[in-house]
Amino acid sequence: MKKEYDLVVVGAGPAGIMAALTAKKYNDKLRIALVDSGKSIGQKLAITGGGRCNFTNNRPIDEFFDMVVNNNKFLYSSFYGFTNEDLKDFIRGLGLDYSIESGNDQKVYIKSGRAQDLIRVLDEKIRASKIDLYLDSKVNDIGLGAEIKTVKFNNYILNSNKLLFATGGLSFPKTGSDGSVMRLLQDKGYDIVTPRPGLVPIEVKEGWSKDLAGISLKDVLVWTPIGKRKKELIGDLIFTHKGLGGPAILKISSYINNRPFDRLIYIDFLPGMTRDQIYKLAIKDRKKTILANLKGSLPNNFTKLLIQEVGRKTGLYLLGQTTANMTRDTIDLVISSIKQTSFTVKSLASIEIATITAGGISHKQINPTNMESKLHPGIYFSGEMIDVDALTGGFNLQIAFSTGYLAGRSLAEKF
Ligand SMILES: Cc1cc2nc3c(=O)[nH]c(=O)nc-3n(C[C@H](O)[C@H](O)[C@H](O)COP(=O)(O)OP(=O)(O)OC[C@H]3O[C@@H](n4cnc5c(N)ncnc54)[C@H](O)[C@@H]3O)c2cc1C
């Protein structure tokens, strides 16, 4: 069946939904179709923030750029054109409220704690805006003609004046984002920057890390060399049966996904204390062991395994010794392992379970001021399918909504 539209949007995730709604807002005469392979809109949105939807962050928008791992300058017009404040207003306009997480992270969530509430009101708004929604409709062919653009799925051929792609990355393919449209676009001349897993746990080579599985530590300092510099950040860490996980590790993984193998990840388990301070604590009672003296500063089972490992590496018997029977040099070996232990990366977790896909359509082929293709006028992009990715904290959804807004507004104003 053939149908004619002014705009077809492929992908009903946050980027595509925002683009379609914004195009309609700026030009309500437009005939718009929104096409998605899923049985409902926003399948990935539904699982964000553990189902609570951390849709943005409460920091000033200027600080968002530091949270973007790749190609942050590309997002200048998007972030300033539709800020986190605009997104919060948009959510309120849909009849929902939001809550801001206390503490440093400043994550902003849907107040009810249910991402499904957002999906429900977005679905209602799409239908009320008279946007034609095609679900269960996997696009399997595209035409990017100068006058007429085409998408094909099931028995449909949709012709349109403008075409917007917002089909996401490759992670969590069950939510619909499987990279199929990226491959179609590659055949049409688009450069795809190799998709890589972002915000994932790290598998390490050191066997003794398995003994630590299940132990979690608060606010450790993690760093890794990147060229001549180093990337460092503070956050929580959890040891898994394969290596390292937790917020600090997920973040660092995004900086090493270009070439993860054999990279060294360094950890300072007590960044709030100097070596001297730890030393004083370690010898507080010279009749006791280091383990007993350090009780309370780190989980005891962790300190025990760390000391055991130092003992294994050096051949010294450390665990049962009172500090009176230890030299400063020997105690320093333990302190060094607290202040700097390294792990060697074996691999990153697979892209299927990654929170975000790094890589995608090269940002160099997209005009950052309006999201239009530099190769084919009338073709637009938004969201995670572009080669931009950010850290956890609501920044990736803000990218999806901001780029969707900019694309929708820019293209509507061209009619
Ligand atoms: C477990 C998890 C938790 C997350 N939590 C957060 C969070 O709390 N905060 C945050 O900021 N980010 C979070 N993210 C990241 C965030 O979900 C994504 O960055 C965001 O959904 C990207 O939006 P998008 O619209 O670009 O793509 P998507 O949401 O992936 O939407 C793309 C849509 O395109 C459709 N599609 C794909 N191919 C086709 C095709 N051939 N034909 C038709 N339709 C197609 C898909 O069905 C999908 O609905 C999380 C991700 C995961 C996996």
Side-chain angles (χ1 to χ4, degrees):
M1 190 189 295
K2 260 194 180 174
K3 288 210 159 192
E4 309 292 323
Y5 286 97
D6 298 306
L7 167 66
V8 172
V9 176
V10 185
I17 295 168
M18 182 54 103
L21 290 175
T22 308
K24 195 75 182 177
K25 175 179 155 188
Y26 281 94
N27 190 338
D28 70 355
K29 294 202 171 55
L30 294 183
R31 296 163 302 162
I32 302 178
L34 178 57
V35 185
D36 200 286
S37 53
K39 291 201 183 326
S40 65
I41 63 163
Q43 293 205 103
K44 187 171 278 178
L45 191 59
I47 58 168
T48 56
R52 293 164 58 214
C53 188
N54 165 211
F55 64 91
T56 190
N57 197 279
N58 213 39
R59 291 164 190 260
I61 194 76
D62 311 20
E63 292 180 16
F64 277 46
F65 295 94
D66 289 338
M67 304 296 158
V68 178
V69 180
N70 288 295
N71 305 316
N72 58 357
K73 290 198 182 80
F74 176 82
L75 294 168
Y76 193 87
S77 303
S78 299
F79 276 168
Y80 285 116
F82 189 76
T83 66
N84 50 345
E85 295 304 320
D86 295 326
L87 183 51
K88 287 189 286 181
D89 289 346
F90 173 78
I91 297 292
R92 278 240 163 95
L94 291 170
L96 296 180
D97 207 350
Y98 55 81
S99 58
I100 300 161
E101 197 177 66
S102 57
N104 287 337
D105 281 354
Q106 302 200 49
K107 294 176 179 174
V108 185
Y109 288 90
I110 297 297
K111 189 162 187 175
S112 66
R114 288 188 301 265
Q116 281 298 349
D117 287 349
L118 177 57
I119 292 164
R120 178 180 44 80
V121 290
L122 285 171
D123 189 83
E124 284 164 13
K125 178 108 178 148
I126 290 165
R127 292 172 199 276
S129 306
K130 302 218 157 42
I131 292 168
D132 289 350
L133 184 58
Y134 294 84
L135 292 173
D136 242 330
S137 304
K138 181 159 181 163
V139 170
N140 52 33
D141 196 10
I142 56 176
L144 311 182
E147 294 301 320
I148 297 173
K149 299 19 171 165
T150 315
V151 301
K152 292 185 186 166
F153 56 89
N154 304 344
N155 292 323
Y156 282 97
I157 299 175
L158 306 189
N159 291 330
S160 69
N161 183 276
K162 299 200 191 304
L163 185 48
L164 185 142
F165 293 106
T167 49
L170 271 74
S171 26
F172 278 70
K174 276 190 189 146
T175 63
S177 18
D178 61 359
S180 51
V181 168
M182 261 191 230
R183 287 189 288 278
L184 296 176
L185 286 161
Q186 196 167 26
D187 291 344
K188 303 283 180 196
Y190 285 89
D191 293 335
I192 309 295
V193 177
T194 308
R196 309 171 310 276
L199 303 174
V200 277
I202 296 176
E203 195 171 337
V204 300
K205 288 187 173 174
E206 286 74 10
W208 74 282
S209 75
K210 287 186 180 53
D211 301 335
L212 301 165
I215 296 176
S216 55
L217 301 167
K218 284 206 90 58
D219 292 335
V220 300
L221 176 69
V222 181
W223 75 95
T224 188
I226 309 271
K228 285 185 185 141
R229 294 199 265 162
K230 65 177 183 181
K231 184 73 208 168
E232 62 175 27
L233 47 92
I234 288 190
D236 299 350
L237 174 147
I238 180 157
F239 289 96
T240 66
H241 63 285
K242 285 190 172 171
L244 311 171
I249 296 301
L250 298 198
K251 285 178 189 168
I252 216 88
S253 76
S254 284
Y255 291 96
I256 61 168
N257 56 18
N258 264 324
R259 201 192 55 77
F261 188 69
D262 266 353
R263 252 179 203 279
L264 291 176
I265 307 287
Y266 295 92
I267 303 171
D268 177 348
F269 296 108
L270 277 180
M273 291 177 81
T274 63
R275 295 177 70 98
D276 265 358
Q277 286 170 328
I278 301 174
Y279 179 73
K280 280 186 190 130
L281 201 63
I283 59 157
K284 194 173 58 182
D285 184 343
R286 302 229 59 158
K287 291 194 285 302
K288 288 188 174 170
T289 62
I290 300 184
L291 181 64
N293 283 332
L294 288 182
K295 199 173 176 188
S297 33
L298 284 166
N300 228 34
N301 51 348
F302 170 73
T303 317
K304 187 176 172 190
L305 289 162
L306 197 69
I307 296 173
Q308 240 170 25
E309 176 60 12
V310 177
R312 193 190 61 80
K313 275 189 187 145
T314 57
L316 297 168
Y317 177 61
L318 303 172
L319 259 185
Q321 289 286 10
T322 62
T323 54
N325 284 328
M326 294 169 100
T327 63
R328 166 100 202 208
D329 282 355
T330 308
I331 295 169
D332 271 347
L333 290 172
V334 175
I335 294 171
S336 292
S337 74
I338 291 174
K339 290 302 282 178
Q340 178 171 321
T341 284
S342 65
F343 291 97
T344 319
V345 178
K346 189 170 168 193
S347 63
L348 301 188
S350 79
I351 202 158
E352 279 78 19
I353 64 150
T355 312
I356 196 86
T357 300
I361 304 281
S362 170
H363 72 291
K364 294 180 187 153
Q365 295 178 323
I366 303 168
N367 180 342
T369 64
N370 60 10
M371 295 290 135
E372 189 170 15
S373 161
K374 290 181 181 172
L375 307 189
H376 301 93
I379 299 293
Y380 291 78
F381 298 98
S382 44
E384 194 178 322
M385 74 181 308
I386 304 171
D387 179 22
V388 285
D389 61 289
L391 299 181
T392 48
F395 305 105
N396 285 300
L397 281 175
Q398 182 72 46
I399 291 177
F401 284 117
S402 287
T403 53
Y405 182 93
L406 181 61
R409 179 175 180 167
S410 310
L411 71 86
E413 287 175 344
K414 283 202 175 175
F415 280 94

